[in-house]
Amino acid sequence: RREGFFSLARSCLYTAAVLLAVQALHAADVAYRDLKPENILLDAQGHAVVSDFGLAREGISRLPDGARSLCGSPAYMAPEVLSGAGHGTAVDYWALGTLLFEMLTGVPPFYHRDPHRMSRAILYDEPAYPRHLKWPARALLRTLLQRDPARRAGSPEAGGPAKVRRARFFRRLDFERVLRRGYTPVFEPRPDAE
């Protein structure tokens, strides 16, 4: 919040780390369902880690229409959650797109103080991309913020997480190196001096 928004390099590294966490959860048939900045923590070296699994749902693929509960933080909810249509793991890729948009711009793409207007924007509006967002970021965001969960980047029908990792936005990152924490984070938390 203090910085407003992050650099492209910092956003890319954090998004890659969160993507790997989401991918691992989905491989275990778990939908996270509450991806937002408050649930992404930095370890002592500055690597992003996912926390707070209170809304996670196990066995999501065994549900005929997916989960139906209205859960998560309003600004990060996927359209299928808001509409009550039933949802699966694709909701986490919508939230990943929302999180990336916020890292790059300082605000979620559909944010409004009025929750009804925000919900309506999530269901029907297109995000306004600031001019400073370059094509690789816009292209990834458009595929993650796809309203149809079957066409949303990351969903099994749209090529799964491997397709997201191949996005041009991540072209300078080696995901195996991200997994090994081989990159030096742009920001390193400093313990409070007392």
Side-chain angles (χ1 to χ4, degrees):
R1 301 269 183 247
R2 187 174 58 236
E3 293 184 33
F5 58 90
F6 295 156
S7 69
L8 189 63
R10 188 173 178 183
S11 299
C12 186
L13 185 58
Y14 290 165
T15 304
V18 173
L19 174 61
L20 289 171
V22 165
Q23 178 184 342
L25 288 168
H26 292 179
D29 200 23
V30 174
Y32 181 72
R33 304 191 314 169
D34 199 21
L35 201 54
K36 59 184 177 181
E38 294 83 357
N39 288 343
I40 309 301
L41 304 178
L42 298 180
D43 67 12
Q45 292 76 41
H47 296 282
V49 294
V50 176
S51 69
D52 190 356
F53 293 83
L55 295 180
R57 178 74 188 254
E58 295 178 279
I60 196 92
S61 67
R62 292 189 297 274
L63 302 173
D65 295 323
R68 291 200 173 270
S69 50
L70 181 67
C71 63
S73 297
Y76 300 88
M77 282 185 193
E80 61 270 28
V81 175
L82 288 172
S83 68
H87 61 271
T89 56
V91 298
D92 292 333
Y93 293 104
W94 176 276
L96 183 68
T98 303
L99 181 68
L100 174 59
F101 192 100
E102 184 171 1
M103 282 191 273
L104 292 170
T105 68
V107 65
F110 303 101
Y111 181 77
H112 196 280
R113 287 178 188 243
D114 178 348
H116 297 291
R117 288 181 71 179
M118 183 166 53
S119 294
R120 188 164 176 75
I122 290 169
L123 290 169
Y124 304 110
D125 294 349
E126 291 302 317
Y129 295 100
R131 290 179 192 232
H132 77 271
L133 284 185
K134 301 296 181 213
W135 178 83
R138 285 179 190 229
L140 178 58
L141 287 167
R142 282 190 179 111
T143 62
L144 291 169
L145 297 174
Q146 165 60 246
R147 283 195 176 77
D148 180 353
R151 294 178 51 215
R152 188 174 303 142
S155 70
E157 302 87 351
K163 188 169 183 180
V164 178
R165 288 193 313 268
R166 289 191 302 269
R168 190 164 172 82
F169 180 76
F170 296 117
R171 74 182 178 277
R172 294 191 175 134
L173 279 185
D174 173 354
F175 276 87
E176 289 302 317
R177 188 172 168 193
V178 173
L179 190 60
R180 291 190 320 268
R181 298 172 173 223
Y183 287 99
T184 302
V186 177
F187 173 80
E188 184 178 334
R190 291 185 176 82
D192 291 338
E194 292 188 53

